Amino acid sequence: MFRRLLHAQTDPPPARSAPRGRFSPHPALVALVALVLTAFSLAAPAAYAAMSRDAAAAPAQVLTWTAGDGYMGYTSAPTTAVAGPATIVFENSAATGNTTGMPHTLTFDTSNPDYNTDVSLNIQASPSDSGGGRHTAEVTLTPGVYHYYCAMPGHMMSGELTVTAAPGNDTTAPDTSASVSGTKDASGNYVGSATVTVSASDAESGVSKVEYSLDSGAYADYGAPVQVSGVGQHTVAFRATDKAGNTSAVKSVSFTVVAAPPEDTTAPETSATVSGTKDASGNYVSSATVTVTASDAESGVAKIEYSLDSGAYKDYSAPVQVSGVGQHTVAFRATDKAGNTSAVKSVSFTVVAAPPEDTTAPETSATVSGTKDASGNYVSSATVTVTASDAESGVAKIEYSLDSGAYKDYSAPVQVSGVGQHTVAFRATDKAGNTSAEQSVSFTVVTAPPQDTTPPDVSASVSGTKDASGNYVGSATITVTASDSGSGVAATEYSLDGGPYLPYSAPVAVNRAGSHTFLYRATDKAGNTSTAKSLTLTVVDSKPPTDCPETDDRSTVFVGTVNTGIPNRVTTNGCTINELIEDHQAWASHGVFVSYVEKLVADLRHEGVVDQREAGDIKKAAGRSDVGKPHTARTEP
């Protein structure tokens, strides 16, 4: 019996190297066959075939390792074997030279991909164990190289076992590949020269030779990477043959070699940037990072160097972080592959200490906006706007949750259109990681009412003292009412005697004697305006007004002899527009009259008697009139 002990390998497996220790060569039946075939060449094929059949039928090969008192190498170990079943014998006993009772192990390495890893074997043997130090194991070997070693502390025992394929079984050609290396230009051509490296492997009998051909020339043995320096296009073909005589298919790599450019005498271009968190004064808080870049369009950048605060120059390989509080200067330069060094440049900056730690969470608030109904519910949708502020480190993010859902990042006002009650919770986190307490706003969204397309209902009534003829004595008061069952009344307007529509806010008193026409209309909140309605009435007074400058009841406004076509309306003091113009009195000059009219129409515009267009027409008529001009003969209309 043998024991397999699984334990930690305190000594790592050594790199692949030549076997160590004293190794006794194993008798080789194949060598004997070869000798016989050499002596009797005519009978070689038949004899070789017979021997191969006998070898295939023979018991599995026995591979023996022995150990003694030494810990720098096995006493004996095989170096070669043939693929297939094998009996591994490991003996560490007095018979093999162990007089001290020292234990040893035989371990096959399964962790190194450079070796075969398909046999897991770990045998520990000592003269005093139950097997007397001799143990065996049955394994199956495959072509390749196995690495073995002693897995006990202080031992330096290791070696390699090379396994070849059984004779006559290798019919597979080697695997081949090639790579091209060298300095490339922007077009991918090799500058000056290119180096072709060919590799070949054969898992069975092993590679016998590798050959290459340059630009369709004769094949030559490949022993080292091939350097091609001739300018132009090139093709390197390659193939390999294994020890069983199998030759791989020809493969090739193609490339172009170009002449080296003229000598580079221009230094690299350099620049640097400083990054980090800045305060309001532009100083870097806690630290600043300097990033240096360099470029060279000819030979290329070989190295970049920097100096901090006039110190010695150092190689630059990564951004330089400067954390010392105070002013700093980083100088930098670069050297190209032709040896040209750039002029020194520098960047200066100031690092300040970080402010006290921020432990205060942000302030948060939210508002809800939208169209409300009479009950305060939001019609169709509501929009929630969240704001946050942090006077220390600043706000890093705002989050919200709708109706107890998962929190989401807030980046714009949240519109909620689902009908029903809703709650929007919100919170904010500052750059120091402090998160505010959760707050919330609640509201209700209701369905929008049907669209309002019906204008308001509007009516008017007249009150006052009437005479026997139904005329109103002294004055009449007109009251307008409007209603809208849809969106509601937005505005009511009226027009008296052809004047502009004015907002209606209270009953309108008409106290100018004469016939009057009163128009009225209303508009609802949906923009529907009712058709204008009208009523007519007559006001009589036995005592006509005596406080007007003159009497002028013409139907349109005249300025001198210029007819504006504007209705001669009654103003708020009971006088007509014509009576207030006073174009029949003597004026000191035409300019004085025009200035008077301009002031008058401004007052009438303010009172709502005329609109902006009509006011402008009256001022233009005053300018065209001859009122106030000297030596003017006027004819009364």
Side-chain angles (χ1 to χ4, degrees):
M1 292 294 293
F2 65 92
R3 294 182 299 162
R4 295 189 181 186
L5 304 179
L6 302 178
H7 55 83
Q9 298 179 4
T10 55
D11 288 322
R16 183 170 181 172
S17 60
R20 297 186 178 182
R22 295 188 301 275
F23 305 117
S24 299
H26 206 68
L29 180 60
V30 175
L32 177 60
V33 171
L35 180 61
V36 173
L37 293 179
T38 301
F40 304 97
S41 58
L42 293 178
Y48 187 89
M51 186 62 70
S52 298
R53 288 193 299 270
D54 292 341
Q61 58 193 321
V62 177
L63 304 175
T64 303
W65 279 260
T66 63
D69 290 339
Y71 56 85
M72 297 301 290
Y74 293 98
T75 301
S76 67
T79 59
T80 61
V82 177
T87 299
I88 302 295
V89 177
F90 179 44
E91 184 174 357
N92 176 31
S93 65
T96 60
N98 190 330
T99 63
T100 63
M102 179 186 297
H104 296 292
T105 67
L106 174 63
T107 302
F108 272 45
D109 186 358
T110 60
S111 63
N112 191 336
D114 290 339
Y115 295 95
N116 288 8
T117 59
D118 56 343
V119 173
S120 179
L121 187 66
N122 187 18
I123 304 174
Q124 178 173 304
S126 68
S128 61
D129 63 28
S130 60
R134 189 176 190 279
H135 304 277
T136 62
E138 301 298 327
V139 299
T140 300
L141 302 177
T142 57
V145 179
Y146 291 87
H147 174 247
Y148 58 86
Y149 60 94
C150 181
M152 300 186 72
H155 290 61
M156 299 297 292
M157 302 161 66
S158 66
E160 294 179 354
L161 175 67
T162 300
V163 178
T164 58
N169 290 339
D170 181 5
T171 60
T172 304
D175 289 324
T176 60
S177 63
S179 62
V180 185
S181 60
T183 301
K184 289 185 178 181
D185 61 15
S187 301
N189 301 317
Y190 290 89
V191 179
S193 65
T195 300
V196 180
T197 301
V198 181
S199 60
S201 63
D202 190 271
E204 299 184 40
S205 60
V207 176
S208 173
K209 66 177 178 177
V210 180
E211 300 171 289
Y212 75 95
S213 165
L214 174 60
D215 297 333
S216 301
Y219 274 91
D221 287 342
Y222 174 89
V226 180
Q227 188 175 58
V228 182
S229 57
V231 173
Q233 291 184 324
H234 299 281
T235 298
V236 172
F238 53 93
R239 64 192 182 191
T241 302
D242 62 18
K243 295 175 182 177
N246 303 300
T247 300
S248 65
V250 173
K251 297 180 182 179
S252 65
V253 289
S254 297
F255 51 91
T256 299
V257 175
V258 296
E263 183 182 0
D264 177 7
T265 59
T266 304
E269 295 288 335
T270 59
S271 64
T273 58
V274 185
S275 60
T277 301
K278 289 185 178 182
D279 61 14
S281 301
N283 300 317
Y284 290 88
V285 179
S286 296
S287 67
T289 300
V290 181
T291 301
V292 182
T293 58
S295 62
D296 189 90
E298 298 183 42
S299 60
V301 176
K303 66 176 179 177
I304 303 173
E305 299 171 290
Y306 74 97
S307 165
L308 174 61
D309 298 333
S310 301
Y313 273 90
K314 300 179 180 179
D315 287 340
Y316 174 91
S317 59
V320 179
Q321 188 175 58
V322 182
S323 56
V325 173
Q327 291 184 323
H328 299 281
T329 297
V330 172
F332 53 94
R333 64 190 182 192
T335 302
D336 62 20
K337 295 175 182 177
N340 303 299
T341 300
S342 65
V344 173
K345 297 180 181 178
S346 64
V347 289
S348 297
F349 50 91
T350 299
V351 175
V352 295
E357 183 181 1
D358 177 8
T359 58
T360 304
E363 296 287 336
T364 59
S365 63
T367 58
V368 185
S369 60
T371 302
K372 289 185 178 182
D373 61 13
S375 302
N377 300 318
Y378 289 88
V379 179
S380 296
S381 68
T383 300
V384 181
T385 302
V386 182
T387 59
S389 62
D390 189 272
E392 298 183 43
S393 60
V395 176
K397 67 176 178 178
I398 303 174
E399 300 171 290
Y400 75 95
S401 165
L402 175 60
D403 297 332
S404 301
Y407 268 92
K408 300 179 180 179
D409 287 341
Y410 174 91
S411 59
V414 180
Q415 189 176 57
V416 182
S417 56
V419 173
Q421 290 184 324
H422 299 283
T423 297
V424 172
F426 53 94
R427 64 191 182 193
T429 302
D430 62 19
K431 295 176 182 178
N434 303 300
T435 300
S436 64
E438 179 183 273
Q439 298 188 59
S440 64
V441 289
S442 297
F443 51 90
T444 299
V445 175
V446 295
T447 303
Q451 185 178 3
D452 180 5
T453 59
T454 304
D457 290 325
V458 63
S459 61
S461 61
V462 185
S463 60
T465 303
K466 291 184 179 182
D467 61 14
S469 300
N471 299 319
Y472 290 89
V473 179
S475 68
T477 300
I478 303 173
T479 302
V480 181
T481 59
S483 63
D484 189 90
S485 60
S487 59
V489 176
T492 305
E493 301 171 294
Y494 74 95
S495 168
L496 179 61
D497 297 332
Y501 273 95
L502 303 174
Y504 175 87
S505 60
V508 179
V510 181
N511 52 21
R512 175 75 178 184
S515 295
H516 301 280
T517 299
F518 186 85
L519 302 178
Y520 54 97
R521 65 190 182 189
T523 302
D524 61 20
K525 295 177 181 177
N528 304 300
T529 301
S530 64
T531 302
K533 295 183 179 180
S534 68
L535 58 83
T536 58
L537 57 93
T538 300
V539 176
V540 296
D541 193 343
S542 58
K543 296 181 180 180
T546 59
D547 55 350
C548 295
E550 57 189 24
T551 301
D552 190 339
D553 288 330
R554 287 176 291 180
S555 61
T556 58
V557 174
F558 279 79
V559 182
T561 60
V562 180
N563 184 359
T564 65
I566 297 169
N568 185 25
R569 303 185 186 101
V570 178
T571 65
T572 56
N573 64 359
C575 301
T576 67
I577 298 174
N578 277 339
E579 292 170 348
L580 295 180
I581 289 177
E582 300 186 52
D583 55 359
H584 289 117
Q585 76 172 33
W587 290 92
S589 68
H590 180 67
V592 173
F593 172 71
V594 172
S595 296
Y596 166 77
V597 173
E598 289 178 348
K599 182 179 183 308
L600 172 65
V601 296
D603 293 338
L604 296 178
R605 177 79 179 89
H606 179 70
E607 296 169 1
V609 177
V610 295
D611 59 22
Q612 184 174 358
R613 180 192 62 78
E614 293 171 336
D617 288 346
I618 295 174
K619 287 191 288 184
K620 290 177 183 179
R624 296 199 308 272
S625 74
D626 58 0
V627 178
K629 294 181 180 180
H631 311 297
T632 300
R634 297 184 58 209
T635 302
E636 294 296 330

